[in-house]
PDB file of all heavy atoms in Angstrom:
ATOM      1  N   ARG A  16       0.828  -1.208   0.000  1.00  0.00           N
ATOM      2  CA  ARG A  16       0.000   0.000   0.000  1.00  0.00           C
ATOM      3  C   ARG A  16       0.859   1.253   0.000  1.00  0.00           C
ATOM      4  O   ARG A  16       0.530   2.249  -0.665  1.00  0.00           O
ATOM      5  CB  ARG A  16      -0.941  -0.008   1.216  1.00  0.00           C
ATOM      6  CG  ARG A  16      -2.083  -1.009   1.111  1.00  0.00           C
ATOM      7  CD  ARG A  16      -3.160  -0.712   2.146  1.00  0.00           C
ATOM      8  NE  ARG A  16      -2.673  -0.905   3.504  1.00  0.00           N
ATOM      9  CZ  ARG A  16      -2.778  -2.045   4.181  1.00  0.00           C
ATOM     10  NH1 ARG A  16      -3.350  -3.102   3.605  1.00  0.00           N
ATOM     11  NH2 ARG A  16      -2.328  -2.146   5.413  1.00  0.00           N
ATOM     12  N   ALA A  17       1.971   1.216   0.750  1.00  0.00           N
ATOM     13  CA  ALA A  17       2.878   2.366   0.755  1.00  0.00           C
ATOM     14  C   ALA A  17       3.488   2.579  -0.627  1.00  0.00           C
ATOM     15  O   ALA A  17       3.643   3.720  -1.087  1.00  0.00           O
ATOM     16  CB  ALA A  17       3.986   2.151   1.790  1.00  0.00           C
ATOM     17  N   GLU A  18       3.844   1.492  -1.309  1.00  0.00           N
ATOM     18  CA  GLU A  18       4.374   1.606  -2.668  1.00  0.00           C
ATOM     19  C   GLU A  18       3.337   2.209  -3.620  1.00  0.00           C
ATOM     20  O   GLU A  18       3.659   3.054  -4.453  1.00  0.00           O
ATOM     21  CB  GLU A  18       4.807   0.231  -3.175  1.00  0.00           C
ATOM     22  CG  GLU A  18       6.135  -0.250  -2.633  1.00  0.00           C
ATOM     23  CD  GLU A  18       7.284   0.545  -3.193  1.00  0.00           C
ATOM     24  OE1 GLU A  18       7.476   0.542  -4.425  1.00  0.00           O
ATOM     25  OE2 GLU A  18       7.970   1.194  -2.395  1.00  0.00           O
ATOM     26  N   ASP A  19       2.086   1.770  -3.477  1.00  0.00           N
ATOM     27  CA  ASP A  19       1.021   2.322  -4.324  1.00  0.00           C
ATOM     28  C   ASP A  19       0.840   3.807  -4.055  1.00  0.00           C
ATOM     29  O   ASP A  19       0.671   4.607  -4.989  1.00  0.00           O
ATOM     30  CB  ASP A  19      -0.297   1.582  -4.068  1.00  0.00           C
ATOM     31  CG  ASP A  19      -0.264   0.152  -4.579  1.00  0.00           C
ATOM     32  OD1 ASP A  19       0.575  -0.129  -5.460  1.00  0.00           O
ATOM     33  OD2 ASP A  19      -1.064  -0.674  -4.095  1.00  0.00           O
ATOM     34  N   ALA A  20       0.853   4.183  -2.767  1.00  0.00           N
ATOM     35  CA  ALA A  20       0.695   5.606  -2.426  1.00  0.00           C
ATOM     36  C   ALA A  20       1.851   6.430  -2.977  1.00  0.00           C
ATOM     37  O   ALA A  20       1.649   7.542  -3.498  1.00  0.00           O
ATOM     38  CB  ALA A  20       0.598   5.768  -0.909  1.00  0.00           C
ATOM     39  N   LYS A  21       3.056   5.882  -2.889  1.00  0.00           N
ATOM     40  CA  LYS A  21       4.215   6.613  -3.412  1.00  0.00           C
ATOM     41  C   LYS A  21       4.126   6.756  -4.928  1.00  0.00           C
ATOM     42  O   LYS A  21       4.420   7.832  -5.475  1.00  0.00           O
ATOM     43  CB  LYS A  21       5.504   5.877  -3.045  1.00  0.00           C
ATOM     44  CG  LYS A  21       6.769   6.618  -3.486  1.00  0.00           C
ATOM     45  CD  LYS A  21       8.009   5.892  -3.029  1.00  0.00           C
ATOM     46  CE  LYS A  21       8.251   4.643  -3.846  1.00  0.00           C
ATOM     47  NZ  LYS A  21       9.551   4.015  -3.531  1.00  0.00           N
ATOM     48  N   ALA A  22       3.692   5.687  -5.602  1.00  0.00           N
ATOM     49  CA  ALA A  22       3.570   5.763  -7.062  1.00  0.00           C
ATOM     50  C   ALA A  22       2.514   6.781  -7.472  1.00  0.00           C
ATOM     51  O   ALA A  22       2.716   7.560  -8.419  1.00  0.00           O
ATOM     52  CB  ALA A  22       3.215   4.380  -7.617  1.00  0.00           C
ATOM     53  N   ARG A  23       1.377   6.807  -6.748  1.00  0.00           N
ATOM     54  CA  ARG A  23       0.340   7.798  -7.072  1.00  0.00           C
ATOM     55  C   ARG A  23       0.816   9.210  -6.803  1.00  0.00           C
ATOM     56  O   ARG A  23       0.535  10.136  -7.577  1.00  0.00           O
ATOM     57  CB  ARG A  23      -0.923   7.502  -6.252  1.00  0.00           C
ATOM     58  CG  ARG A  23      -1.679   6.254  -6.693  1.00  0.00           C
ATOM     59  CD  ARG A  23      -3.068   6.228  -6.080  1.00  0.00           C
ATOM     60  NE  ARG A  23      -3.011   6.196  -4.630  1.00  0.00           N
ATOM     61  CZ  ARG A  23      -2.986   5.087  -3.913  1.00  0.00           C
ATOM     62  NH1 ARG A  23      -2.990   3.896  -4.518  1.00  0.00           N
ATOM     63  NH2 ARG A  23      -2.944   5.131  -2.591  1.00  0.00           N
ATOM     64  N   PHE A  24       1.571   9.387  -5.691  1.00  0.00           N
ATOM     65  CA  PHE A  24       2.101  10.714  -5.377  1.00  0.00           C
ATOM     66  C   PHE A  24       3.061  11.196  -6.457  1.00  0.00           C
ATOM     67  O   PHE A  24       2.997  12.349  -6.897  1.00  0.00           O
ATOM     68  CB  PHE A  24       2.812  10.671  -4.023  1.00  0.00           C
ATOM     69  CG  PHE A  24       3.600  11.916  -3.723  1.00  0.00           C
ATOM     70  CD1 PHE A  24       2.965  13.084  -3.344  1.00  0.00           C
ATOM     71  CD2 PHE A  24       4.989  11.909  -3.835  1.00  0.00           C
ATOM     72  CE1 PHE A  24       3.693  14.225  -3.075  1.00  0.00           C
ATOM     73  CE2 PHE A  24       5.721  13.050  -3.571  1.00  0.00           C
ATOM     74  CZ  PHE A  24       5.075  14.214  -3.188  1.00  0.00           C
ATOM     75  N   LEU A  25       3.963  10.310  -6.889  1.00  0.00           N
ATOM     76  CA  LEU A  25       4.920  10.707  -7.920  1.00  0.00           C
ATOM     77  C   LEU A  25       4.228  11.044  -9.238  1.00  0.00           C
ATOM     78  O   LEU A  25       4.591  11.994  -9.927  1.00  0.00           O
ATOM     79  CB  LEU A  25       5.943   9.593  -8.138  1.00  0.00           C
ATOM     80  CG  LEU A  25       6.919   9.350  -6.980  1.00  0.00           C
ATOM     81  CD1 LEU A  25       7.808   8.155  -7.281  1.00  0.00           C
ATOM     82  CD2 LEU A  25       7.769  10.592  -6.714  1.00  0.00           C
ATOM     83  N   ALA A  26       3.198  10.245  -9.583  1.00  0.00           N
ATOM     84  CA  ALA A  26       2.477  10.518 -10.828  1.00  0.00           C
ATOM     85  C   ALA A  26       1.745  11.852 -10.748  1.00  0.00           C
ATOM     86  O   ALA A  26       1.763  12.651 -11.690  1.00  0.00           O
ATOM     87  CB  ALA A  26       1.492   9.386 -11.100  1.00  0.00           C
ATOM     88  N   THR A  27       1.107  12.140  -9.603  1.00  0.00           N
ATOM     89  CA  THR A  27       0.388  13.408  -9.435  1.00  0.00           C
ATOM     90  C   THR A  27       1.349  14.585  -9.440  1.00  0.00           C
ATOM     91  O   THR A  27       1.100  15.614 -10.087  1.00  0.00           O
ATOM     92  CB  THR A  27      -0.416  13.381  -8.125  1.00  0.00           C
ATOM     93  OG1 THR A  27      -1.324  12.277  -8.156  1.00  0.00           O
ATOM     94  CG2 THR A  27      -1.191  14.667  -7.930  1.00  0.00           C
ATOM     95  N   MET A  28       2.460  14.423  -8.700  1.00  0.00           N
ATOM     96  CA  MET A  28       3.438  15.508  -8.646  1.00  0.00           C
ATOM     97  C   MET A  28       4.013  15.789 -10.027  1.00  0.00           C
ATOM     98  O   MET A  28       4.174  16.947 -10.428  1.00  0.00           O
ATOM     99  CB  MET A  28       4.570  15.128  -7.685  1.00  0.00           C
ATOM    100  CG  MET A  28       5.629  16.204  -7.515  1.00  0.00           C
ATOM    101  SD  MET A  28       7.064  15.611  -6.600  1.00  0.00           S
ATOM    102  CE  MET A  28       7.765  14.467  -7.790  1.00  0.00           C
ATOM    103  N   SER A  29       4.321  14.757 -10.775  1.00  0.00           N
ATOM    104  CA  SER A  29       4.877  14.944 -12.114  1.00  0.00           C
ATOM    105  C   SER A  29       3.904  15.696 -13.013  1.00  0.00           C
ATOM    106  O   SER A  29       4.286  16.616 -13.742  1.00  0.00           O
ATOM    107  CB  SER A  29       5.217  13.577 -12.727  1.00  0.00           C
ATOM    108  OG  SER A  29       5.649  13.708 -14.059  1.00  0.00           O
ATOM    109  N   HIS A  30       2.622  15.310 -12.918  1.00  0.00           N
ATOM    110  CA  HIS A  30       1.615  15.969 -13.765  1.00  0.00           C
ATOM    111  C   HIS A  30       1.398  17.416 -13.346  1.00  0.00           C
ATOM    112  O   HIS A  30       1.346  18.327 -14.193  1.00  0.00           O
ATOM    113  CB  HIS A  30       0.298  15.199 -13.680  1.00  0.00           C
ATOM    114  CG  HIS A  30      -0.824  15.870 -14.405  1.00  0.00           C
ATOM    115  ND1 HIS A  30      -0.914  15.898 -15.780  1.00  0.00           N
ATOM    116  CD2 HIS A  30      -1.907  16.569 -13.931  1.00  0.00           C
ATOM    117  CE1 HIS A  30      -1.996  16.566 -16.141  1.00  0.00           C
ATOM    118  NE2 HIS A  30      -2.611  16.984 -15.031  1.00  0.00           N
ATOM    119  N   GLU A  31       1.283  17.657 -12.036  1.00  0.00           N
ATOM    120  CA  GLU A  31       0.983  19.006 -11.553  1.00  0.00           C
ATOM    121  C   GLU A  31       2.145  19.971 -11.766  1.00  0.00           C
ATOM    122  O   GLU A  31       1.928  21.161 -12.007  1.00  0.00           O
ATOM    123  CB  GLU A  31       0.620  18.951 -10.059  1.00  0.00           C
ATOM    124  CG  GLU A  31      -0.664  18.185  -9.766  1.00  0.00           C
ATOM    125  CD  GLU A  31      -1.879  18.822 -10.424  1.00  0.00           C
ATOM    126  OE1 GLU A  31      -1.891  20.053 -10.612  1.00  0.00           O
ATOM    127  OE2 GLU A  31      -2.817  18.077 -10.763  1.00  0.00           O
ATOM    128  N   LEU A  32       3.366  19.478 -11.680  1.00  0.00           N
ATOM    129  CA  LEU A  32       4.527  20.358 -11.875  1.00  0.00           C
ATOM    130  C   LEU A  32       4.815  20.596 -13.353  1.00  0.00           C
ATOM    131  O   LEU A  32       5.370  21.638 -13.729  1.00  0.00           O
ATOM    132  CB  LEU A  32       5.770  19.762 -11.210  1.00  0.00           C
ATOM    133  CG  LEU A  32       5.764  19.731  -9.680  1.00  0.00           C
ATOM    134  CD1 LEU A  32       7.048  19.095  -9.172  1.00  0.00           C
ATOM    135  CD2 LEU A  32       5.626  21.133  -9.110  1.00  0.00           C
ATOM    136  N   ARG A  33       4.456  19.632 -14.190  1.00  0.00           N
ATOM    137  CA  ARG A  33       4.776  19.759 -15.611  1.00  0.00           C
ATOM    138  C   ARG A  33       4.018  20.931 -16.256  1.00  0.00           C
ATOM    139  O   ARG A  33       4.570  21.649 -17.087  1.00  0.00           O
ATOM    140  CB  ARG A  33       4.421  18.454 -16.327  1.00  0.00           C
ATOM    141  CG  ARG A  33       4.973  18.357 -17.736  1.00  0.00           C
ATOM    142  CD  ARG A  33       4.464  17.075 -18.400  1.00  0.00           C
ATOM    143  NE  ARG A  33       4.778  15.908 -17.581  1.00  0.00           N
ATOM    144  CZ  ARG A  33       5.943  15.270 -17.643  1.00  0.00           C
ATOM    145  NH1 ARG A  33       6.875  15.687 -18.482  1.00  0.00           N
ATOM    146  NH2 ARG A  33       6.161  14.232 -16.878  1.00  0.00           N
ATOM    147  N   THR A  34       2.775  21.151 -15.855  1.00  0.00           N
ATOM    148  CA  THR A  34       1.969  22.209 -16.496  1.00  0.00           C
ATOM    149  C   THR A  34       2.558  23.603 -16.261  1.00  0.00           C
ATOM    150  O   THR A  34       2.810  24.346 -17.229  1.00  0.00           O
ATOM    151  CB  THR A  34       0.512  22.135 -15.988  1.00  0.00           C
ATOM    152  OG1 THR A  34      -0.028  20.853 -16.317  1.00  0.00           O
ATOM    153  CG2 THR A  34      -0.340  23.218 -16.641  1.00  0.00           C
ATOM    154  N   PRO A  35       2.814  24.017 -15.018  1.00  0.00           N
ATOM    155  CA  PRO A  35       3.423  25.359 -14.848  1.00  0.00           C
ATOM    156  C   PRO A  35       4.851  25.440 -15.391  1.00  0.00           C
ATOM    157  O   PRO A  35       5.281  26.498 -15.870  1.00  0.00           O
ATOM    158  CB  PRO A  35       3.378  25.580 -13.332  1.00  0.00           C
ATOM    159  CG  PRO A  35       3.286  24.221 -12.741  1.00  0.00           C
ATOM    160  CD  PRO A  35       2.506  23.415 -13.707  1.00  0.00           C
ATOM    161  N   LEU A  36       5.566  24.318 -15.334  1.00  0.00           N
ATOM    162  CA  LEU A  36       6.932  24.341 -15.854  1.00  0.00           C
ATOM    163  C   LEU A  36       6.945  24.553 -17.358  1.00  0.00           C
ATOM    164  O   LEU A  36       7.811  25.290 -17.884  1.00  0.00           O
ATOM    165  CB  LEU A  36       7.646  23.041 -15.495  1.00  0.00           C
ATOM    166  CG  LEU A  36       9.114  22.942 -15.916  1.00  0.00           C
ATOM    167  CD1 LEU A  36       9.943  24.071 -15.315  1.00  0.00           C
ATOM    168  CD2 LEU A  36       9.685  21.588 -15.507  1.00  0.00           C
ATOM    169  N   ASN A  37       6.016  23.939 -18.066  1.00  0.00           N
ATOM    170  CA  ASN A  37       5.926  24.180 -19.509  1.00  0.00           C
ATOM    171  C   ASN A  37       5.633  25.650 -19.806  1.00  0.00           C
ATOM    172  O   ASN A  37       6.132  26.223 -20.777  1.00  0.00           O
ATOM    173  CB  ASN A  37       4.839  23.292 -20.120  1.00  0.00           C
ATOM    174  CG  ASN A  37       5.282  21.833 -20.219  1.00  0.00           C
ATOM    175  OD1 ASN A  37       6.474  21.540 -20.328  1.00  0.00           O
ATOM    176  ND2 ASN A  37       4.316  20.914 -20.178  1.00  0.00           N
ATOM    177  N   GLY A  38       4.801  26.266 -18.927  1.00  0.00           N
ATOM    178  CA  GLY A  38       4.542  27.690 -19.104  1.00  0.00           C
ATOM    179  C   GLY A  38       5.794  28.521 -18.905  1.00  0.00           C
ATOM    180  O   GLY A  38       6.058  29.475 -19.672  1.00  0.00           O
ATOM    181  N   VAL A  39       6.573  28.188 -17.898  1.00  0.00           N
ATOM    182  CA  VAL A  39       7.819  28.922 -17.652  1.00  0.00           C
ATOM    183  C   VAL A  39       8.781  28.776 -18.836  1.00  0.00           C
ATOM    184  O   VAL A  39       9.389  29.760 -19.312  1.00  0.00           O
ATOM    185  CB  VAL A  39       8.475  28.424 -16.349  1.00  0.00           C
ATOM    186  CG1 VAL A  39       9.873  29.028 -16.190  1.00  0.00           C
ATOM    187  CG2 VAL A  39       7.611  28.786 -15.146  1.00  0.00           C
ATOM    188  N   LEU A  40       8.918  27.555 -19.339  1.00  0.00           N
ATOM    189  CA  LEU A  40       9.826  27.336 -20.469  1.00  0.00           C
ATOM    190  C   LEU A  40       9.337  28.057 -21.719  1.00  0.00           C
ATOM    191  O   LEU A  40      10.138  28.607 -22.493  1.00  0.00           O
ATOM    192  CB  LEU A  40       9.952  25.832 -20.736  1.00  0.00           C
ATOM    193  CG  LEU A  40      10.666  25.018 -19.641  1.00  0.00           C
ATOM    194  CD1 LEU A  40      10.636  23.533 -19.972  1.00  0.00           C
ATOM    195  CD2 LEU A  40      12.104  25.495 -19.483  1.00  0.00           C
ATOM    196  N   GLY A  41       8.018  28.055 -21.919  1.00  0.00           N
ATOM    197  CA  GLY A  41       7.482  28.778 -23.079  1.00  0.00           C
ATOM    198  C   GLY A  41       7.743  30.260 -22.989  1.00  0.00           C
ATOM    199  O   GLY A  41       8.101  30.908 -23.995  1.00  0.00           O
ATOM    200  N   LEU A  42       7.598  30.860 -21.806  1.00  0.00           N
ATOM    201  CA  LEU A  42       7.841  32.291 -21.630  1.00  0.00           C
ATOM    202  C   LEU A  42       9.313  32.631 -21.801  1.00  0.00           C
ATOM    203  O   LEU A  42       9.657  33.698 -22.348  1.00  0.00           O
ATOM    204  CB  LEU A  42       7.347  32.733 -20.250  1.00  0.00           C
ATOM    205  CG  LEU A  42       5.820  32.743 -20.060  1.00  0.00           C
ATOM    206  CD1 LEU A  42       5.464  33.084 -18.620  1.00  0.00           C
ATOM    207  CD2 LEU A  42       5.175  33.730 -21.027  1.00  0.00           C
ATOM    208  N   THR A  43      10.215  31.754 -21.339  1.00  0.00           N
ATOM    209  CA  THR A  43      11.640  32.036 -21.528  1.00  0.00           C
ATOM    210  C   THR A  43      12.007  32.026 -23.012  1.00  0.00           C
ATOM    211  O   THR A  43      12.828  32.834 -23.465  1.00  0.00           O
ATOM    212  CB  THR A  43      12.497  30.997 -20.779  1.00  0.00           C
ATOM    213  OG1 THR A  43      12.153  29.694 -21.209  1.00  0.00           O
ATOM    214  CG2 THR A  43      12.293  31.098 -19.274  1.00  0.00           C
ATOM    215  N   GLN A  44      11.412  31.108 -23.762  1.00  0.00           N
ATOM    216  CA  GLN A  44      11.666  31.099 -25.210  1.00  0.00           C
ATOM    217  C   GLN A  44      11.135  32.366 -25.866  1.00  0.00           C
ATOM    218  O   GLN A  44      11.743  32.927 -26.787  1.00  0.00           O
ATOM    219  CB  GLN A  44      11.030  29.854 -25.830  1.00  0.00           C
ATOM    220  CG  GLN A  44      11.700  28.549 -25.431  1.00  0.00           C
ATOM    221  CD  GLN A  44      10.984  27.332 -25.967  1.00  0.00           C
ATOM    222  OE1 GLN A  44       9.938  27.469 -26.634  1.00  0.00           O
ATOM    223  NE2 GLN A  44      11.511  26.148 -25.693  1.00  0.00           N
ATOM    224  N   SER A  45       9.975  32.830 -25.390  1.00  0.00           N
ATOM    225  CA  SER A  45       9.415  34.071 -25.943  1.00  0.00           C
ATOM    226  C   SER A  45      10.292  35.263 -25.590  1.00  0.00           C
ATOM    227  O   SER A  45      10.505  36.179 -26.408  1.00  0.00           O
ATOM    228  CB  SER A  45       7.994  34.300 -25.402  1.00  0.00           C
ATOM    229  OG  SER A  45       7.140  33.248 -25.813  1.00  0.00           O
ATOM    230  N   LEU A  46      10.815  35.279 -24.359  1.00  0.00           N
ATOM    231  CA  LEU A  46      11.675  36.373 -23.943  1.00  0.00           C
ATOM    232  C   LEU A  46      12.948  36.455 -24.786  1.00  0.00           C
ATOM    233  O   LEU A  46      13.477  37.539 -25.053  1.00  0.00           O
ATOM    234  CB  LEU A  46      12.050  36.219 -22.464  1.00  0.00           C
ATOM    235  CG  LEU A  46      10.995  36.645 -21.432  1.00  0.00           C
ATOM    236  CD1 LEU A  46      11.452  36.306 -20.032  1.00  0.00           C
ATOM    237  CD2 LEU A  46      10.735  38.155 -21.546  1.00  0.00           C
ATOM    238  N   GLN A  47      13.456  35.297 -25.185  1.00  0.00           N
ATOM    239  CA  GLN A  47      14.690  35.290 -25.968  1.00  0.00           C
ATOM    240  C   GLN A  47      14.516  35.943 -27.339  1.00  0.00           C
ATOM    241  O   GLN A  47      15.498  36.350 -27.975  1.00  0.00           O
ATOM    242  CB  GLN A  47      15.203  33.859 -26.126  1.00  0.00           C
ATOM    243  CG  GLN A  47      15.752  33.271 -24.818  1.00  0.00           C
ATOM    244  CD  GLN A  47      16.148  31.823 -24.965  1.00  0.00           C
ATOM    245  OE1 GLN A  47      15.903  31.222 -26.001  1.00  0.00           O
ATOM    246  NE2 GLN A  47      16.777  31.275 -23.932  1.00  0.00           N
ATOM    247  N   THR A  48      13.270  36.033 -27.827  1.00  0.00           N
ATOM    248  CA  THR A  48      13.030  36.664 -29.141  1.00  0.00           C
ATOM    249  C   THR A  48      12.857  38.177 -29.037  1.00  0.00           C
ATOM    250  O   THR A  48      12.752  38.861 -30.049  1.00  0.00           O
ATOM    251  CB  THR A  48      11.763  36.057 -29.765  1.00  0.00           C
ATOM    252  OG1 THR A  48      10.627  36.324 -28.928  1.00  0.00           O
ATOM    253  CG2 THR A  48      11.920  34.552 -29.952  1.00  0.00           C
ATOM    254  N   THR A  49      12.789  38.690 -27.803  1.00  0.00           N
ATOM    255  CA  THR A  49      12.668  40.140 -27.618  1.00  0.00           C
ATOM    256  C   THR A  49      14.055  40.775 -27.550  1.00  0.00           C
ATOM    257  O   THR A  49      15.069  40.074 -27.431  1.00  0.00           O
ATOM    258  CB  THR A  49      11.869  40.439 -26.336  1.00  0.00           C
ATOM    259  OG1 THR A  49      12.586  39.915 -25.201  1.00  0.00           O
ATOM    260  CG2 THR A  49      10.479  39.803 -26.405  1.00  0.00           C
ATOM    261  N   GLY A  50      14.093  42.080 -27.559  1.00  0.00           N
ATOM    262  CA  GLY A  50      15.390  42.775 -27.518  1.00  0.00           C
ATOM    263  C   GLY A  50      15.966  42.800 -26.124  1.00  0.00           C
ATOM    264  O   GLY A  50      15.612  43.673 -25.312  1.00  0.00           O
ATOM    265  N   LEU A  51      16.815  41.848 -25.780  1.00  0.00           N
ATOM    266  CA  LEU A  51      17.445  41.763 -24.464  1.00  0.00           C
ATOM    267  C   LEU A  51      18.930  42.045 -24.578  1.00  0.00           C
ATOM    268  O   LEU A  51      19.553  41.729 -25.606  1.00  0.00           O
ATOM    269  CB  LEU A  51      17.248  40.361 -23.877  1.00  0.00           C
ATOM    270  CG  LEU A  51      15.800  39.859 -23.680  1.00  0.00           C
ATOM    271  CD1 LEU A  51      15.808  38.420 -23.187  1.00  0.00           C
ATOM    272  CD2 LEU A  51      15.043  40.747 -22.696  1.00  0.00           C
ATOM    273  N   ASN A  52      19.469  42.662 -23.539  1.00  0.00           N
ATOM    274  CA  ASN A  52      20.919  42.847 -23.541  1.00  0.00           C
ATOM    275  C   ASN A  52      21.610  41.542 -23.193  1.00  0.00           C
ATOM    276  O   ASN A  52      20.949  40.538 -22.899  1.00  0.00           O
ATOM    277  CB  ASN A  52      21.317  43.981 -22.584  1.00  0.00           C
ATOM    278  CG  ASN A  52      20.852  43.693 -21.146  1.00  0.00           C
ATOM    279  OD1 ASN A  52      20.865  42.560 -20.700  1.00  0.00           O
ATOM    280  ND2 ASN A  52      20.430  44.749 -20.436  1.00  0.00           N
TER     281      ASN A  52
END
């Protein structure tokens, strides 16, 4: 049961963190196309 709980936690954490992280990576790519020093 502990293994199942850990697997569910890792799957949830991976999914929940991936969405905002993709947003951060997308914004950094957009920033690189602007005029930056």
Side-chain angles (χ1 to χ4, degrees):
R16 287 195 294 268
E18 282 290 299
D19 291 339
K21 183 177 74 173
R23 289 194 299 269
F24 170 75
L25 291 176
T27 302
M28 182 189 69
S29 175
H30 174 73
E31 295 298 330
L32 291 179
R33 192 185 305 275
T34 300
L36 183 58
N37 286 332
V39 172
L40 293 176
L42 290 175
T43 56
Q44 291 175 358
S45 298
L46 281 174
Q47 289 175 353
T48 62
T49 62
L51 301 176
N52 59 36

